[in-house]
Amino acid sequence: MGSSAAVLLRSFLLLLCSLLCSLLPPSTSLGFPCSNSNSSAATCQSLAGYVSPNATTLAAVQTLFGVKHLRSILGANNLPLSTPGNHSVSAQDTIVIPFNCSCSNSTGFSYRLPVYTVQSGDILDHIAREVFSNLVVFQDIQQVNRLPNASFIEVGQNLSVPLPCSCDDVDGEEVVHYAHVVAAGSSVAAIAAEFNVSESTLMTINRIANASSLQAGQVLDVPRKACASAIRNDSLDSYLHVANGTYVFTANNCVKCTCDAANNWTLHCEPSQLKPSKWSVCPTMQCEGSNLYLSNSTSTSCNSTTCAYAGYTNQTILTKLVTDATCPVSKSFAMMDSFRAFSWNFFVILILPALSFHHIW
Ligand SMILES: *[C@@H]1O[C@H](CO)[C@@H](O)[C@H](O)[C@H]1NC(C)=O
Ligand SMILES: *[C@@H]1O[C@H](CO)[C@@H](O)[C@H](O)[C@H]1NC(C)=O
Ligand SMILES: *[C@@H]1O[C@H](CO)[C@@H](O)[C@H](O)[C@H]1NC(C)=O
Ligand SMILES: *[C@@H]1O[C@H](CO)[C@@H](O)[C@H](O)[C@H]1NC(C)=O
Ligand SMILES: *[C@@H]1O[C@H](CO)[C@@H](O)[C@H](O)[C@H]1NC(C)=O
Ligand SMILES: *[C@@H]1O[C@H](CO)[C@@H](O)[C@H](O)[C@H]1NC(C)=O
Ligand SMILES: *[C@@H]1O[C@H](CO)[C@@H](O)[C@H](O)[C@H]1NC(C)=O
Ligand SMILES: *[C@@H]1O[C@H](CO)[C@@H](O)[C@H](O)[C@H]1NC(C)=O
Ligand SMILES: *[C@@H]1O[C@H](CO)[C@@H](O)[C@H](O)[C@H]1NC(C)=O
Ligand SMILES: *[C@@H]1O[C@H](CO)[C@@H](O)[C@H](O)[C@H]1NC(C)=O
Ligand SMILES: *[C@@H]1O[C@H](CO)[C@@H](O)[C@H](O)[C@H]1NC(C)=O
Ligand SMILES: *[C@@H]1O[C@H](CO)[C@@H](O)[C@H](O)[C@H]1NC(C)=O
């Protein structure tokens, strides 16, 4: 039965393709590669860049993507928490959408959300291209909603829109995958520079063989660097990765965590002062065996100790004392870091000969 449906689907796609293929953006498979299909790593936070076709408001974008809280959108765009829902969004502005990613069968896409209700006059391709600004292609919507006929949708019908995402680490580093729609006239180099990733990483994870084959409307998987955190694997928010330049609320709203490159790529978390969900009051956030509360730090001559966020359970908020050496005692480490800032080639070309010279000497 499944296979006859598949045969039917394929013949419809072929038929449609003969009519539309020249107009389509390069066809993508559902979602980004996501090999981490196992338990805890199978879901994570992800981001997508929505380019609004028309002037609108943050609240309307929130509704379109089914994001529960406006503050999630504010955090993903690093907008002040006081920004109102009627804040205007101009046509062609990019709004970063936060959503939960789910990996299965080696691909990642948004879990259930967003759900779009078909309006009068809609066709699937318009929904994919305009309403969701090319973040999906109509085949994705057709496949996930098991629509036998892509040209047959009914007003009022609810369609899941599978935003592409991934939960995989990249080059051994925690990242937040960001779905970026390529703008007309853009290039791999420009996108790499905009998001501070290497061109080769971008090309590898997107399986781009030739940078000049990039096309407007194509969705790229851009791995945005995430802050290191002390969040435990057994925490209810162990999935939480916070991208550079964003903030999130967690622990039933009790904690606000910010990732800022200026903070040494370490997640900075503090009590949010928001009304908690689930809990009537936020549990105490004091580090065990110390008089420090979440986000407090003390410095001795050579160490700085911070009470860091380590996750939460049904009953408590977990904390951990984290000590960083701040003195230049470990000069060798500091030097190693600055060496790393140079390219390896520089090291090989200039330093190694110098060292071997000394050695011979
Ligand atoms: C997922 O788990 C299975 C069994 O627990 C294991 O064999 C497999 O290697 C895991 N895959 C990944 C990508 O971790
Ligand atoms: C947003 O709404 C507030 C009141 O809720 C109003 O004072 C303000 O003018 C509105 N801003 C815009 C841009 O419409
Ligand atoms: C992701 O899922 C968690 C847990 O189910 C939920 O609390 C959170 O609001 C979701 N995030 C978004 C952006 O929908
Ligand atoms: C998993 O993906 C493969 C290839 O992409 C496909 O043939 C298979 O039907 C998928 N399985 C499920 C359960 O979706
Ligand atoms: C944007 O505005 C145009 C003209 O008003 C309209 O035809 C189009 O449907 C709108 N697009 C979306 C996605 O709302
Ligand atoms: C698909 O739906 C369209 C629009 O309702 C209809 O005209 C067409 O005949 C349908 N195709 C098939 C094969 O059912
Ligand atoms: C579609 O979703 C809307 C909003 O969630 C809901 O009110 C409506 O009943 C749903 N329609 C169908 C046909 O399920
Ligand atoms: C981090 O974000 C800031 C501001 O959002 C940006 O200027 C900087 O290039 C980003 N750094 C990296 C490595 O992504
Ligand atoms: C930043 O992090 C590095 C290594 O992770 C550490 O050596 C350094 O002391 C940190 N700097 C500050 C100001 O915390
Ligand atoms: C310690 O942190 C709490 C919030 O976690 C804050 O209210 C308090 O001012 C901080 N104390 C010091 C000395 O920084
Ligand atoms: C700094 O911390 C290290 C271990 O983290 C400890 O061995 C050392 O004594 C501390 N130094 C000071 C001055 O507190
Ligand atoms: C925590 O809450 C969840 C859902 O409310 C429940 O399934 C789970 O058993 C609880 N765990 C503990 C340790 O109370």
Side-chain angles (χ1 to χ4, degrees):
M1 254 164 57
S3 73
S4 66
V7 168
L8 251 170
L9 200 132
R10 219 170 291 142
S11 42
F12 281 130
L13 285 182
L14 278 175
L15 190 110
L16 256 171
C17 205
S18 60
L19 301 168
L20 291 173
C21 269
S22 57
L23 306 170
L24 290 177
S27 103
T28 57
S29 61
L30 194 66
F32 294 147
C34 190
S35 57
N36 247 334
S37 295
N38 280 352
S39 59
S40 69
T43 61
C44 63
Q45 293 251 304
S46 228
L47 301 172
Y50 174 62
V51 182
S52 175
N54 292 333
T56 182
T57 62
L58 283 180
V61 174
Q62 180 195 348
T63 303
L64 179 64
F65 283 90
V67 180
K68 205 165 166 191
H69 302 290
L70 179 67
R71 59 176 169 270
S72 308
I73 293 190
L74 299 179
N77 293 276
N78 207 18
L79 290 166
L81 195 53
S82 55
T83 312
N86 64 1
H87 183 79
S88 62
V89 174
S90 309
Q92 304 307 317
D93 271 3
T94 300
I95 300 295
V96 180
I97 309 296
F99 62 96
N100 285 326
C101 181
S102 166
C103 301
S104 63
N105 201 16
S106 297
T107 58
F109 51 89
S110 53
Y111 181 66
R112 296 217 188 116
L113 293 166
V115 172
Y116 178 77
T117 305
V118 175
Q119 313 288 303
S120 134
D122 275 345
I123 59 167
L124 225 44
D125 191 50
H126 164 73
I127 297 171
R129 277 177 200 255
E130 275 93 34
V131 181
F132 287 95
S133 79
N134 280 321
L135 283 168
V136 289
V137 291
F138 82 83
Q139 292 93 336
D140 295 344
I141 305 179
Q142 181 180 8
Q143 187 183 331
V144 81
N145 294 282
R146 301 198 174 93
L147 303 176
N149 181 346
S151 14
F152 185 70
I153 52 174
E154 286 179 288
V155 173
Q157 184 177 1
N158 286 337
L159 298 173
S160 296
V161 177
L163 305 175
C165 59
S166 175
C167 296
D168 290 355
D169 289 351
V170 171
D171 298 337
E173 276 196 34
E174 283 189 3
V175 299
V176 176
H177 291 261
Y178 174 76
H180 172 76
V181 178
V182 177
S186 190
S187 65
V188 171
I191 296 165
E194 179 180 354
F195 295 100
N196 227 317
V197 295
S198 78
E199 288 180 53
S200 63
T201 299
L202 212 48
M203 289 178 65
T204 307
I205 71 170
N206 289 285
R207 298 173 180 161
I208 300 173
N210 180 350
S212 63
S213 68
L214 196 70
Q215 290 183 35
Q218 186 176 348
V219 183
L220 285 193
D221 178 357
V222 177
R224 286 176 55 174
K225 191 173 160 103
C227 275
S229 80
I231 298 174
R232 287 161 38 166
N233 286 339
D234 59 352
S235 165
L236 290 176
D237 60 358
S238 59
Y239 62 86
L240 197 68
H241 287 180
V242 186
N244 175 33
T246 71
Y247 65 84
V248 299
F249 293 93
T250 186
N252 295 329
N253 284 337
C254 287
V255 175
K256 179 190 184 190
C257 295
T258 308
C259 177
D260 183 348
N263 200 16
N264 213 11
W265 296 111
T266 304
L267 196 62
H268 175 82
C269 299
E270 60 190 19
S272 70
Q273 318 296 355
L274 294 180
K275 192 176 168 300
S277 59
K278 294 206 183 142
W279 291 325
S280 50
V281 291
C282 292
T284 168
M285 298 179 226
Q286 184 172 12
C287 268
E288 204 180 324
S290 99
N291 54 4
L292 300 180
Y293 287 82
L294 185 64
S295 84
N296 292 160
S297 51
T298 53
S299 303
T300 56
S301 52
C302 274
N303 287 340
S304 150
T305 300
T306 305
C307 181
Y309 176 69
Y312 74 106
T313 67
N314 284 0
Q315 287 87 28
T316 66
I317 289 179
L318 308 165
T319 51
K320 185 184 179 197
L321 283 175
V322 176
T323 299
D324 275 327
T326 50
C327 272
V329 258
S330 44
K331 246 192 188 123
S332 56
F333 286 138
M335 276 173 68
M336 267 162 62
D337 272 351
S338 52
F339 272 145
R340 266 184 232 127
F342 289 98
S343 81
W344 177 245
N345 285 345
F346 180 86
F347 184 77
V348 170
I349 293 165
L350 293 178
I351 314 286
L352 277 186
L355 287 180
S356 36
F357 178 75
H358 273 280
H359 196 66
I360 292 162
W361 182 263

